[in-house]
Amino acid sequence: MAGRPPTPSAAPTSSWFTPKRLLVIFCVINLITYVDRGAIASNGVNGSEGTCTESGSCTSGSGIQGEFNLSNFEDGVLSSAFMVGLLVASPIFASLAKSINPFRLIGVGLSVWTVAVLGSGCSFDFWSITICRMLVGVGEASFVSFAAPFIDDNAPAAQKTTWLGIFYMCIPTGYALGYIYGGLVGGHLNWRFAFWGEAILMLPFVILGFVMKPLQLNGFAPAESKKALAQVETAVSEVQDTVVAIGNGGAASTKEEFRDKSSYKPAEVKVATKSSNQFVRYMKDMEVLLLNEVYVINVLGAVAYNFVLGAYSYWGPKAGKSIYNMSNADYIFGGITVVCGIFGTIAGGLVLDFMNSTVPNAFKLLSVSTFFGAAFCFGAFCFKSLYAFLAFFAVGELFVFATQGPVNYICLYSVKPSMRPLSMAMSTVSIHIFGDVPSSPLVGVLQDYVNNWRETALILTAILFLAAGIWFIGIFLRSVDRFNEESEHPVTATDRSSSTPLLEGKTAEITESLAQP
């Protein structure tokens, strides 16, 4: 009996990305996207509307609001316009991840983001800049859907929440740097240069998203393996057809002709069928998410939480300038947010890892941290002294930002791996469309009505107590860690750190073993 020829062993080839490089690159991208959010809210870029005295003397406004003569409501709408694109694009990107490599989808999204930011700097009226801000949301949608799952897949087991905390630390840090960046560029040059500078910073990462070897997500089969398995199936089918031809003479040719005719479908029908299947699959996944009590409670708490933080981030500098006569409100709020955002977010991740990262423990940390953060921030706005306000507000923000890691941990671990992108996408859409998107214009309307920034800030801050209460309910819900639910070989919590999702090249070995008789 002739021996089988030796099969060459395919050694795994490592991607250029190491887990730490991946974390750093994603953090920088996240930082740039939120610098954009902070810049458009800064006094230097956003500016102020023109004013007229009773004597008839008028002064022209500054920044976007002054140049386009926007009301406070229109100004608030502008800050939330990106949500339209984010709402439409997030589910689409999450669904496409099952047929297109998620890493390439991030590259596509960042390309749209860069073009949209350039357009924001070239806008000429309210509607042109609003449309560009909508496209910014489209570009951001792919990144927010896939970044956290990529990071969690590659983080060490004992530091998963800490790594998520480091990534989400870039949100307050980006906002704060955006305040400072917008104030400097808008004050010394022109508000348009702030947007053009952001596009230049993002361009290298756009290129990286297309030229680097794409990574794979847990729960998603690599495209290469699908092609390889298809080739194996084709080869096996051809062998079987040959055997039939030898045994049955010309019957095989008749079989092949029938199969060719029956398998023919017009291209339009195939495309329509594929789109229909994707839509049905998306609706089924959405049903699973909506019936997941743990996920829903987590998102509801995040909605109330982000309603407050969204208004803080947009109206904070103006409120501080009005209440405490801050001449440099952009820098003060930016500095507090940077320091408290960094330490608070990392501390939240470290504490949850120390407590043992579980969904109930995450809910405990969320409810307690948010309650104390609400208490300190509410107390801060009661003081007339600037220094007392800054002290209490800083402590409050430390507690408030400690929630960033735990809330996203629940989004990732309350669903199956293949649903993680959709989980993150719908969480992001929900907290924006029901949270920080309506909060900016609604707080603007409230301020126009009461005409007192202190009262407006106190009413807004009280909503944080509601968020703490919602997350407190989550402690008592039955929850299951679904990290490895779809895997054929379950990985225990202690083994996760030794997994190597960045290593590729094992597909060839699997394919060869399947092809062997």
Side-chain angles (χ1 to χ4, degrees), residues 23 31 35 122 144 156-157 172 182 197 219 228 236 359 361 368 385 418 477:
L23 177 64
L31 192 71
V35 163
C122 299
V144 300
V236 173
V359 171
N361 282 345
V368 172
S385 168
S418 63
L477 297 178

Short mmCIF file of all heavy atoms in Angstrom, two decimals, residues 23 31 35 122 144 156-157 172 182 197 219 228 236 359 361 368 385 418 477:
data_model
loop_
_atom_site.label_atom_id
_atom_site.label_comp_id
_atom_site.label_asym_id
_atom_site.label_seq_id
_atom_site.Cartn_x
_atom_site.Cartn_y
_atom_site.Cartn_z
N LEU A 23 -4.36 47.95 20.82
CA LEU A 23 -4.97 48.82 21.82
C LEU A 23 -4.55 50.27 21.62
O LEU A 23 -5.39 51.19 21.65
CB LEU A 23 -4.60 48.35 23.23
CG LEU A 23 -5.13 49.21 24.38
CD1 LEU A 23 -6.64 49.19 24.42
CD2 LEU A 23 -4.55 48.73 25.72
N LEU A 31 -9.54 58.65 20.32
CA LEU A 31 -9.20 59.97 20.83
C LEU A 31 -9.49 61.05 19.78
O LEU A 31 -10.09 62.09 20.09
CB LEU A 31 -7.73 60.01 21.22
CG LEU A 31 -7.25 61.22 22.02
CD1 LEU A 31 -7.80 61.16 23.44
CD2 LEU A 31 -5.72 61.24 22.07
N VAL A 35 -11.98 64.16 20.03
CA VAL A 35 -11.44 65.51 19.91
C VAL A 35 -12.37 66.34 19.02
O VAL A 35 -12.64 67.52 19.28
CB VAL A 35 -10.01 65.49 19.35
CG1 VAL A 35 -9.60 66.86 18.84
CG2 VAL A 35 -9.02 65.04 20.43
N CYS A 122 -15.28 73.12 5.26
CA CYS A 122 -15.56 73.87 4.03
C CYS A 122 -17.02 74.29 3.92
O CYS A 122 -17.44 74.82 2.88
CB CYS A 122 -15.20 73.02 2.81
SG CYS A 122 -13.47 72.54 2.71
N VAL A 144 -17.17 52.23 16.21
CA VAL A 144 -17.78 51.98 17.51
C VAL A 144 -18.38 50.58 17.58
O VAL A 144 -18.54 50.03 18.68
CB VAL A 144 -18.85 53.04 17.84
CG1 VAL A 144 -18.26 54.42 17.87
CG2 VAL A 144 -20.02 52.98 16.86
N PRO A 156 -5.49 40.46 27.84
CA PRO A 156 -5.22 39.40 28.80
C PRO A 156 -6.45 39.14 29.68
O PRO A 156 -7.23 40.05 29.96
CB PRO A 156 -4.06 39.97 29.64
CG PRO A 156 -3.44 41.01 28.78
CD PRO A 156 -4.55 41.60 27.97
N ALA A 157 -6.64 37.90 30.11
CA ALA A 157 -7.85 37.51 30.83
C ALA A 157 -8.06 38.33 32.09
O ALA A 157 -9.18 38.75 32.39
CB ALA A 157 -7.77 36.03 31.19
N PRO A 172 -13.61 60.82 27.45
CA PRO A 172 -13.49 62.10 28.15
C PRO A 172 -12.21 62.84 27.84
O PRO A 172 -12.19 64.08 27.77
CB PRO A 172 -13.56 61.70 29.63
CG PRO A 172 -13.12 60.28 29.67
CD PRO A 172 -13.63 59.68 28.39
N GLY A 182 -9.87 73.16 20.25
CA GLY A 182 -10.79 74.09 19.59
C GLY A 182 -10.59 75.52 20.05
O GLY A 182 -10.66 76.46 19.26
N GLY A 197 -7.46 70.08 10.55
CA GLY A 197 -6.39 69.44 11.31
C GLY A 197 -6.77 68.03 11.76
O GLY A 197 -5.94 67.11 11.74
N GLY A 219 -16.09 34.56 17.00
CA GLY A 219 -17.48 34.37 16.61
C GLY A 219 -17.73 34.56 15.13
O GLY A 219 -18.84 34.31 14.66
N ALA A 228 -11.52 28.32 1.59
CA ALA A 228 -10.78 27.05 1.59
C ALA A 228 -11.73 25.87 1.72
O ALA A 228 -11.60 24.87 1.02
CB ALA A 228 -9.76 27.05 2.74
N VAL A 236 -14.05 17.37 -3.33
CA VAL A 236 -14.71 16.12 -2.94
C VAL A 236 -15.84 15.79 -3.89
O VAL A 236 -16.05 14.65 -4.31
CB VAL A 236 -15.22 16.22 -1.49
CG1 VAL A 236 -16.06 15.00 -1.14
CG2 VAL A 236 -14.05 16.34 -0.53
N VAL A 359 -21.01 40.01 35.31
CA VAL A 359 -22.07 40.96 35.01
C VAL A 359 -22.71 41.53 36.28
O VAL A 359 -22.90 42.75 36.38
CB VAL A 359 -23.12 40.32 34.08
CG1 VAL A 359 -24.34 41.23 33.92
CG2 VAL A 359 -22.51 40.02 32.71
N ASN A 361 -21.38 41.94 39.25
CA ASN A 361 -20.41 42.85 39.86
C ASN A 361 -20.32 44.16 39.08
O ASN A 361 -20.13 45.24 39.65
CB ASN A 361 -19.04 42.20 39.95
CG ASN A 361 -18.93 41.21 41.08
OD1 ASN A 361 -19.78 41.20 41.99
ND2 ASN A 361 -17.93 40.35 41.05
N VAL A 368 -23.35 52.05 42.28
CA VAL A 368 -22.70 52.76 43.40
C VAL A 368 -21.91 53.95 42.90
O VAL A 368 -22.00 55.07 43.44
CB VAL A 368 -21.79 51.79 44.19
CG1 VAL A 368 -20.96 52.55 45.22
CG2 VAL A 368 -22.61 50.71 44.88
N SER A 385 -18.98 79.45 45.44
CA SER A 385 -17.53 79.58 45.32
C SER A 385 -17.01 78.73 44.16
O SER A 385 -17.35 77.55 44.03
CB SER A 385 -16.85 79.13 46.61
OG SER A 385 -15.45 78.99 46.44
N SER A 418 -20.89 36.28 18.26
CA SER A 418 -21.25 36.73 16.92
C SER A 418 -22.19 37.93 16.94
O SER A 418 -22.36 38.60 15.91
CB SER A 418 -21.92 35.59 16.13
OG SER A 418 -23.14 35.21 16.76
N LEU A 477 -30.91 40.69 38.33
CA LEU A 477 -31.29 39.91 37.15
C LEU A 477 -30.38 38.71 36.98
O LEU A 477 -29.18 38.75 37.31
CB LEU A 477 -31.21 40.79 35.89
CG LEU A 477 -32.16 41.99 35.82
CD1 LEU A 477 -31.91 42.77 34.54
CD2 LEU A 477 -33.61 41.55 35.90
#
